[in-house]
Amino acid sequence: MKYQVPRGTQDILPGEVEKWQMLEERIRQFCHVYDYDEIRTPIFEHTNVFKRGNDASDMVNKEMYTFQLENSSTSLTLRPEMTAGVVRSFVEHKLFGEPDLPAKLYYVGPMCRHERPQKGRQRIFHQFGVEVIGVKNPLLDVECIALGWSFINSLGLKDLKVLINTLGDDESRNAYREALKEHFKDHIDSMCGDCKRRYEQNPLRILDCKVDRDCEAMKSVPRMKDYLNEESQAYFKQVLEGLDALGIPYEIDDTLVRGLDYYTHTVFEVVSENKEMGAQSTVFAGGRYDGLVEYFEGPQMSGIGWAMGIERLIIACEAEGITLGEKAELDAYVLTLSADVGLYALSAATMLRANGYRCECDYQNRSLKAQYRTVDRKKAKVVVIIGEDEAAQGSVTIKRISDKLQKTVALDDMITEIDRLFEAEEAHECNCEPGNCTCGKHHE
Ligand code: ATP
Ligand code: MG
């Protein structure tokens, strides 16, 4: 085929898109009750928003779509994640000065990373995420995890667990980094090229390596928990107590460092244990960041956030047999018996639509049989039949599919009649004799 979507990207077509709509609607409901507001930032930013200083993360070093237009010295990057853009925006619009901090923000949208495509890993994928910026309190770490956790639980997902760790404050992390440097000093020559770079830039990243994960040096690696100062220990303890209080089960994973360089204190991943997820088992992940607002030249303020891959969420739901949204059925189909009544039929359809009925009509002058096949396929509940007689008299014939009940009424009464049919349908009422049900809906 000559024209195809680029590798690692996909079209989301009707039939599939309803799942996305359902999830997005649910996302908005959850964020609404947790009092998070939506933020939309540009899909590309100046490269330095993402590429900060000596960042050692794979995402920044290997996965960014960075471009520069001809005759321009400006380097731009398609966003690989949202946190940086959100914090940039928080500072640019001085949201740090708002009387009601923290700023509680959420986003839903596409991200771009140049990765090797595989199941659950694409080059354009979508994230739902939250950022809570401006107040540092372990209760907020808990609240933000609770939002994501209760959202995925509301979908009925079961094979999930929260992995959590702390990276401590700067002092603790620096002490740990030194310990890691010392530990890997004699092993780094035999480790992968990325780890050699990480060793110089940020040895913490080595713990996140997928290549060297099982090597000898990794097994005897020093543990973060032995380098935490008192303050960092106390902070982590409060986060865990909060999770306990809200009944959110977790496992402490003291090798968890997460892929991004800006994390401090709490880091977490929520993973699905369903086998179908393969290596791409993390549904959402995030952590606290203490230095990012300052990096963007705002005040010293802390934030916490996470991001959830929507494609992965859908895979996880499907692996557990959970049905998300499905294509909507038709309420009414306007059926035409002659080409001459097309405009009359369109007027009737327009009235139905104006009253909130999902409605379709025929634009191809198809046979009655062909039109009835569409009625079947689209599962219309009612057909509105229009022939030359109806058009001449200003009437329509309404037929309810479930019991073939049929009635001709004036066009002006069509909505009242259809309202009545739908109300009866909802109430499981019908015109059948008790004990002699022909509609199939009667609960005898
Ligand atoms: P991984 O270790 O799987 O590469 P990551 O650490 O790069 O994940 P984050 O940057 O924390 O992931 O992104 C948060 C979430 O976004 C992930 O948990 C995942 O659900 C989703 N995600 C990340 N990259 C991709 C991708 N290329 N395709 C689909 N979903 C992705
Ligand atoms: Mg990644």
Side-chain angles (χ1 to χ4, degrees), residues 40-68:
R40 301 187 188 194
T41 62
I43 211 153
F44 56 76
E45 298 263 0
H46 290 293
T47 299
N48 61 7
V49 168
F50 304 115
K51 204 177 177 74
R52 295 174 302 270
N54 201 16
D55 195 308
S57 69
D58 280 0
M59 190 194 77
V60 169
N61 285 280
K62 300 199 296 196
E63 299 170 1
M64 297 210 304
Y65 284 93
T66 295
F67 59 96
Q68 204 162 333

CSV table of all heavy atoms in Angstrom, one decimal, residues 40-68:
chain,number,residue,atom,x,y,z
A,40,ARG,N,-4.2,22.3,28.9
A,40,ARG,CA,-3.8,21.9,27.5
A,40,ARG,C,-2.6,22.8,27.2
A,40,ARG,O,-2.7,24.0,27.2
A,40,ARG,CB,-4.9,22.1,26.5
A,40,ARG,CG,-6.2,21.3,26.9
A,40,ARG,CD,-7.2,21.4,25.9
A,40,ARG,NE,-8.4,20.7,26.4
A,40,ARG,CZ,-9.5,20.4,25.7
A,40,ARG,NH1,-9.5,20.6,24.4
A,40,ARG,NH2,-10.5,19.8,26.2
A,41,THR,N,-1.5,22.1,26.9
A,41,THR,CA,-0.3,22.8,26.5
A,41,THR,C,0.1,22.4,25.0
A,41,THR,O,-0.5,21.4,24.5
A,41,THR,CB,0.9,22.5,27.4
A,41,THR,OG1,1.2,21.1,27.4
A,41,THR,CG2,0.6,22.9,28.9
A,42,PRO,N,1.0,23.2,24.4
A,42,PRO,CA,1.3,22.8,23.0
A,42,PRO,C,1.9,21.4,22.8
A,42,PRO,O,2.5,20.9,23.7
A,42,PRO,CB,2.3,23.9,22.6
A,42,PRO,CG,2.2,24.9,23.6
A,42,PRO,CD,1.7,24.3,24.9
A,43,ILE,N,1.7,20.9,21.6
A,43,ILE,CA,2.2,19.6,21.3
A,43,ILE,C,3.7,19.6,21.0
A,43,ILE,O,4.3,18.6,21.1
A,43,ILE,CB,1.3,19.0,20.2
A,43,ILE,CG1,1.2,17.5,20.3
A,43,ILE,CG2,1.8,19.4,18.8
A,43,ILE,CD1,-0.1,17.0,19.7
A,44,PHE,N,4.2,20.8,20.7
A,44,PHE,CA,5.7,20.9,20.7
A,44,PHE,C,6.1,22.1,21.6
A,44,PHE,O,5.3,23.0,21.7
A,44,PHE,CB,6.3,21.0,19.3
A,44,PHE,CG,5.8,22.1,18.4
A,44,PHE,CD1,6.2,23.4,18.5
A,44,PHE,CD2,4.9,21.7,17.3
A,44,PHE,CE1,5.7,24.4,17.7
A,44,PHE,CE2,4.4,22.7,16.5
A,44,PHE,CZ,4.8,24.0,16.6
A,45,GLU,N,7.3,22.0,22.1
A,45,GLU,CA,7.8,23.0,23.0
A,45,GLU,C,9.3,23.3,22.5
A,45,GLU,O,9.8,22.5,21.7
A,45,GLU,CB,7.9,22.5,24.4
A,45,GLU,CG,6.6,22.1,25.1
A,45,GLU,CD,6.0,23.3,25.9
A,45,GLU,OE1,6.6,24.3,26.1
A,45,GLU,OE2,4.9,23.0,26.5
A,46,HIS,N,9.8,24.4,23.0
A,46,HIS,CA,11.3,24.6,22.8
A,46,HIS,C,12.0,23.4,23.4
A,46,HIS,O,11.6,22.9,24.5
A,46,HIS,CB,11.7,25.9,23.5
A,46,HIS,CG,11.2,27.1,22.8
A,46,HIS,ND1,11.6,27.4,21.5
A,46,HIS,CD2,10.3,28.0,23.1
A,46,HIS,CE1,10.9,28.5,21.1
A,46,HIS,NE2,10.1,28.9,22.1
A,47,THR,N,13.0,22.9,22.6
A,47,THR,CA,13.7,21.7,23.1
A,47,THR,C,14.2,21.8,24.5
A,47,THR,O,14.2,20.8,25.2
A,47,THR,CB,14.8,21.4,22.1
A,47,THR,OG1,14.2,21.2,20.8
A,47,THR,CG2,15.6,20.2,22.4
A,48,ASN,N,14.6,23.0,24.9
A,48,ASN,CA,15.2,23.1,26.3
A,48,ASN,C,14.2,22.9,27.4
A,48,ASN,O,14.5,22.7,28.5
A,48,ASN,CB,16.0,24.4,26.5
A,48,ASN,CG,15.1,25.6,26.3
A,48,ASN,OD1,13.9,25.5,26.2
A,48,ASN,ND2,15.8,26.8,26.3
A,49,VAL,N,12.9,22.8,27.0
A,49,VAL,CA,11.9,22.5,28.1
A,49,VAL,C,12.1,21.0,28.5
A,49,VAL,O,11.9,20.7,29.7
A,49,VAL,CB,10.4,22.8,27.5
A,49,VAL,CG1,9.4,22.2,28.4
A,49,VAL,CG2,10.2,24.3,27.3
A,50,PHE,N,12.4,20.2,27.5
A,50,PHE,CA,12.5,18.8,27.8
A,50,PHE,C,14.0,18.4,28.1
A,50,PHE,O,14.3,17.5,28.9
A,50,PHE,CB,12.0,17.9,26.6
A,50,PHE,CG,10.6,18.2,26.3
A,50,PHE,CD1,10.3,18.8,25.1
A,50,PHE,CD2,9.6,18.0,27.2
A,50,PHE,CE1,8.9,19.1,24.7
A,50,PHE,CE2,8.3,18.3,26.9
A,50,PHE,CZ,7.9,18.8,25.6
A,51,LYS,N,14.9,19.0,27.4
A,51,LYS,CA,16.3,18.7,27.5
A,51,LYS,C,16.9,19.6,28.5
A,51,LYS,O,17.3,20.7,28.1
A,51,LYS,CB,17.0,18.8,26.1
A,51,LYS,CG,18.2,18.0,25.9
A,51,LYS,CD,18.8,18.2,24.5
A,51,LYS,CE,20.0,17.4,24.3
A,51,LYS,NZ,19.9,16.0,24.2
A,52,ARG,N,17.0,19.1,29.7
A,52,ARG,CA,17.5,20.0,30.7
A,52,ARG,C,18.8,19.6,31.2
A,52,ARG,O,19.0,18.4,31.7
A,52,ARG,CB,16.5,20.0,31.9
A,52,ARG,CG,15.1,20.6,31.6
A,52,ARG,CD,14.2,20.4,32.7
A,52,ARG,NE,14.0,19.0,33.1
A,52,ARG,CZ,13.1,18.2,32.5
A,52,ARG,NH1,12.3,18.7,31.6
A,52,ARG,NH2,13.1,16.9,32.9
A,53,GLY,N,19.8,20.5,31.1
A,53,GLY,CA,21.1,20.2,31.7
A,53,GLY,C,21.7,18.9,31.3
A,53,GLY,O,21.6,18.5,30.1
A,54,ASN,N,22.1,18.2,32.2
A,54,ASN,CA,22.8,16.9,32.0
A,54,ASN,C,21.9,15.7,32.2
A,54,ASN,O,22.2,14.8,32.9
A,54,ASN,CB,24.0,16.8,33.0
A,54,ASN,CG,25.0,15.8,32.5
A,54,ASN,OD1,25.0,15.5,31.3
A,54,ASN,ND2,25.9,15.4,33.4
A,55,ASP,N,20.7,15.8,31.6
A,55,ASP,CA,19.7,14.8,31.8
A,55,ASP,C,20.1,13.4,31.2
A,55,ASP,O,20.5,13.3,30.1
A,55,ASP,CB,18.3,15.2,31.2
A,55,ASP,CG,17.2,14.4,31.7
A,55,ASP,OD1,17.3,13.2,31.6
A,55,ASP,OD2,16.2,15.0,32.1
A,56,ALA,N,20.1,12.4,32.1
A,56,ALA,CA,20.6,11.1,31.6
A,56,ALA,C,19.4,10.2,31.2
A,56,ALA,O,19.7,9.0,30.9
A,56,ALA,CB,21.3,10.4,32.8
A,57,SER,N,18.2,10.6,31.2
A,57,SER,CA,17.1,9.7,30.9
A,57,SER,C,17.1,9.3,29.4
A,57,SER,O,17.5,10.0,28.5
A,57,SER,CB,15.8,10.3,31.3
A,57,SER,OG,15.5,11.3,30.4
A,58,ASP,N,16.7,8.0,29.2
A,58,ASP,CA,16.6,7.5,27.8
A,58,ASP,C,15.7,8.4,27.0
A,58,ASP,O,15.9,8.7,25.8
A,58,ASP,CB,16.0,6.1,27.8
A,58,ASP,CG,17.1,5.1,28.1
A,58,ASP,OD1,18.2,5.5,28.4
A,58,ASP,OD2,16.7,3.9,28.2
A,59,MET,N,14.6,8.8,27.6
A,59,MET,CA,13.6,9.6,26.9
A,59,MET,C,14.2,10.8,26.3
A,59,MET,O,14.0,11.1,25.1
A,59,MET,CB,12.4,10.0,27.9
A,59,MET,CG,11.2,10.6,27.2
A,59,MET,SD,10.2,11.4,28.3
A,59,MET,CE,11.1,12.9,28.7
A,60,VAL,N,15.0,11.5,27.1
A,60,VAL,CA,15.6,12.8,26.6
A,60,VAL,C,16.8,12.5,25.7
A,60,VAL,O,16.9,13.2,24.7
A,60,VAL,CB,16.1,13.6,27.8
A,60,VAL,CG1,17.0,14.8,27.3
A,60,VAL,CG2,14.9,14.2,28.6
A,61,ASN,N,17.5,11.5,25.9
A,61,ASN,CA,18.7,11.2,25.1
A,61,ASN,C,18.5,10.4,23.8
A,61,ASN,O,19.2,10.6,22.9
A,61,ASN,CB,19.7,10.5,26.0
A,61,ASN,CG,20.4,11.4,27.0
A,61,ASN,OD1,21.3,12.2,26.6
A,61,ASN,ND2,19.9,11.4,28.2
A,62,LYS,N,17.4,9.6,23.8
A,62,LYS,CA,17.3,8.8,22.7
A,62,LYS,C,15.9,8.8,22.0
A,62,LYS,O,15.8,8.3,20.9
A,62,LYS,CB,17.5,7.3,23.1
A,62,LYS,CG,18.9,7.1,23.7
A,62,LYS,CD,19.3,5.6,23.7
A,62,LYS,CE,18.4,4.8,24.6
A,62,LYS,NZ,18.9,3.5,24.9
A,63,GLU,N,14.9,9.4,22.6
A,63,GLU,CA,13.6,9.1,22.1
A,63,GLU,C,12.9,10.4,21.6
A,63,GLU,O,11.7,10.3,21.2
A,63,GLU,CB,12.7,8.5,23.2
A,63,GLU,CG,13.3,7.1,23.6
A,63,GLU,CD,12.6,6.5,24.9
A,63,GLU,OE1,11.6,7.2,25.4
A,63,GLU,OE2,13.0,5.5,25.3
A,64,MET,N,13.5,11.5,21.6
A,64,MET,CA,12.8,12.7,21.3
A,64,MET,C,12.8,13.0,19.8
A,64,MET,O,13.8,12.9,19.1
A,64,MET,CB,13.4,13.9,22.0
A,64,MET,CG,13.2,13.7,23.5
A,64,MET,SD,13.1,15.2,24.5
A,64,MET,CE,14.5,16.2,24.0
A,65,TYR,N,11.6,13.5,19.3
A,65,TYR,CA,11.5,14.0,17.9
A,65,TYR,C,11.8,15.5,18.0
A,65,TYR,O,11.0,16.3,18.3
A,65,TYR,CB,10.1,13.8,17.4
A,65,TYR,CG,9.7,12.4,17.1
A,65,TYR,CD1,9.2,11.5,18.0
A,65,TYR,CD2,10.0,11.9,15.8
A,65,TYR,CE1,8.8,10.2,17.6
A,65,TYR,CE2,9.7,10.6,15.4
A,65,TYR,CZ,9.1,9.8,16.3
A,65,TYR,OH,8.8,8.5,16.0
A,66,THR,N,13.1,15.8,17.6
A,66,THR,CA,13.5,17.2,17.7
A,66,THR,C,13.7,17.7,16.3
A,66,THR,O,14.2,17.0,15.4
A,66,THR,CB,14.8,17.3,18.5
A,66,THR,OG1,14.5,16.9,19.8
A,66,THR,CG2,15.4,18.7,18.5
A,67,PHE,N,13.3,18.9,16.0
A,67,PHE,CA,13.4,19.4,14.6
A,67,PHE,C,13.7,20.9,14.6
A,67,PHE,O,13.4,21.6,15.6
A,67,PHE,CB,12.2,19.1,13.8
A,67,PHE,CG,10.9,19.6,14.4
A,67,PHE,CD1,10.4,20.9,13.9
A,67,PHE,CD2,10.2,19.0,15.4
A,67,PHE,CE1,9.2,21.4,14.4
A,67,PHE,CE2,9.0,19.5,15.9
A,67,PHE,CZ,8.5,20.7,15.4
A,68,GLN,N,14.2,21.3,13.5
A,68,GLN,CA,14.5,22.8,13.3
A,68,GLN,C,14.1,23.1,11.9
A,68,GLN,O,14.4,22.4,11.0
A,68,GLN,CB,16.0,22.9,13.5
A,68,GLN,CG,16.4,24.3,13.9
A,68,GLN,CD,17.8,24.3,14.5
A,68,GLN,OE1,18.3,23.3,15.0
A,68,GLN,NE2,18.5,25.4,14.3
